[in-house]
Amino acid sequence: MNQRSSVAELVASLKAELNRYPIGGKLPSSRAMVETHRVSPVTVSRALAQLAAEGLVVTRPGAGVFRAQPRNDTQAPGDTSWQEVALSADGATDAAPRAVDASGVLVTLAAPPSGVIEFNSGYLHSSLRPERAMAAALARAGRRPGAWGRPPVDGIPELREWFARGIGGPVTEAEVLVTAGGQSALTTALRALAPPGAPVLVESPTYPGMLAIARAAGLRPVPVPVDPDGVRPELLAAAFRATGARVFVCQPLFQNPTGAVLSAERRPEVLRIAREAGAFVVEDDFVRRLVHEDAGPLPKPLATDDQDGVVVHVCSLTKATSPSLRVGALAARGPVLERLRSIQIVESFFVPRPLQEATVELVGSPAWNRHLRSVAMELRDRRDTLTAALRGSLPELELPHVPTGGYHLWLRLPDRSDEGAVVSAALRAGVAVAPGRPYFPAEPPAPHLRLSFAGVASRGEITEGVRRLRTACDEAFG
């Protein structure tokens, strides 16, 4: 049984037993609960924390856990219908709607029910994370002089220097801002570069989280199709001419969701087209550290070929470590850097210093490179396992490209098939998959699925997940 279901079951048991104790009555000790319910001390601790958060118990250090005074929930709910008018009134004159749709992001963030295989995860499974190394780094960081003080608003110098070296080329520490992960960096970049109502060119298909950011800022995402060699330059140039856009957002390396890598021939073309349009290129370099073991030499970031400040570079450590290590970077040159800095300061002040110090400890330790090598091997093996299973059991699902980096495969369903029906049938069969529709800023050309091989527990679970997906497709295709 996994930890999540164990905690839920213990919470349910303790809730059922609460009425046995008077208000203020003391519950059994944690040790007694461990023995009675046959669970770990960690499970007991988490269950009690959940009950305390719900106001059902009160914990008193050194004394124990006590039943809390019930809250008065008899008050009638208020009338919030006025908010519909308030939230829509300002939008009446907006050039683009600012309604926020987080459904495409929640697909990869929401934990599926117990027993469901996660082919929809956007992060490494806990068995692939460097959890021991992160815990040790956090412990060392907490003892650093000044670790709990206020950091420089741009980020601590050691971390900015490390990011600058990783980006390479002409990028210096002075041109790097430390951010609270890649999503925060993209939000800052789009707010800095385009006013509400402006068009922003995006790859199609592309990362739903970026589309949500753009729409929440009142921007109008305009799709530019990609193929196995990345964005198509002739269509990019045409889109700039047609829209007058001043921003293009792209993922040149292992693009999400297609896995495409921008070809060497197209790289200078993209920069030239943007420069001639007087536009910025936001380079989302989100999985450079999740390269597979059999990959050849990686192309350098676009930022290394940029002398004129065209590229605003975004990168993050989250994908290669843990969903909770939300540390990333923005790199830019010229006046735009000051605007990026100002927006970040206003929105979040700075990334907490203990987290920055822990990141420096982590990436400076021998465990860091060992972790990257281990993940590179495991992702290659998982990718090959998933690819072989799909080709053997689901040949009707088209797999146009097998990437050598990243953590997912992009599949095209048969024409005129019902993507939503496949996703629903898959969940009933015990496997969660990501639908393709949220990845398209406009009408999709065909139904798709995205399958992640990083969030599952093992290669055996991948094989079982494909078996379940076969059952779902049989149901959906009739």
Side-chain angles (χ1 to χ4, degrees), residues 32 37 83 85 101 106 169 203 207 218 223 255 280 337 348 355 361 372 409 415 421 435 441 454 472:
H37 296 278
Q83 293 185 4
V85 178
D101 181 4
L106 289 174
E203 295 171 315
Y207 167 51
Q255 196 257 1
F280 291 97
L337 181 62
S348 58
L355 195 56
E361 290 282 354
L372 294 181
L409 297 179
D415 289 341

Side-chain angles (χ1 to χ4, degrees), residues 236-280:
L236 178 64
F240 272 124
R241 289 193 299 270
T243 64
R246 292 293 180 265
V247 181
F248 170 50
V249 186
C250 64
Q251 295 175 326
L253 186 65
F254 307 130
Q255 196 257 1
N256 183 9
T258 66
V261 176
L262 186 63
S263 68
E265 295 76 20
R266 292 185 181 182
R267 287 167 59 92
E269 278 290 283
V270 168
L271 293 179
R272 178 189 61 79
I273 290 168
R275 181 70 183 86
E276 290 177 357
F280 291 97

Side-chain angles (χ1 to χ4, degrees), residues 126-200:
S126 58
S127 62
L128 299 181
R129 299 172 197 159
E131 294 190 349
R132 280 191 178 181
M134 289 189 294
L138 190 60
R140 293 193 301 269
R143 296 190 296 268
R144 281 185 165 206
W148 296 92
R150 183 179 62 197
V153 292
D154 291 358
I156 61 176
E158 304 98 310
L159 188 53
R160 293 166 62 205
E161 173 62 28
W162 184 83
F163 274 119
R165 287 199 313 272
I167 299 167
V171 177
T172 67
E173 172 199 330
E175 295 164 339
V176 172
L177 306 175
V178 176
T179 68
Q183 188 79 355
S184 174
L186 286 171
T187 301
T188 298
L190 288 181
R191 283 200 59 193
L193 301 177
V200 55

Side-chain angles (χ1 to χ4, degrees), residues 114-129:
S114 178
V116 173
I117 294 174
E118 293 189 61
F119 276 167
N120 63 333
S121 175
Y123 299 102
L124 296 179
H125 187 266
S126 58
S127 62
L128 299 181
R129 299 172 197 159

Side-chain angles (χ1 to χ4, degrees), residues 418-431 433 472 475:
D418 188 335
E419 179 183 290
V422 174
V423 172
S424 297
L427 196 56
R428 288 193 295 272
V431 58
V433 299
E475 175 189 332

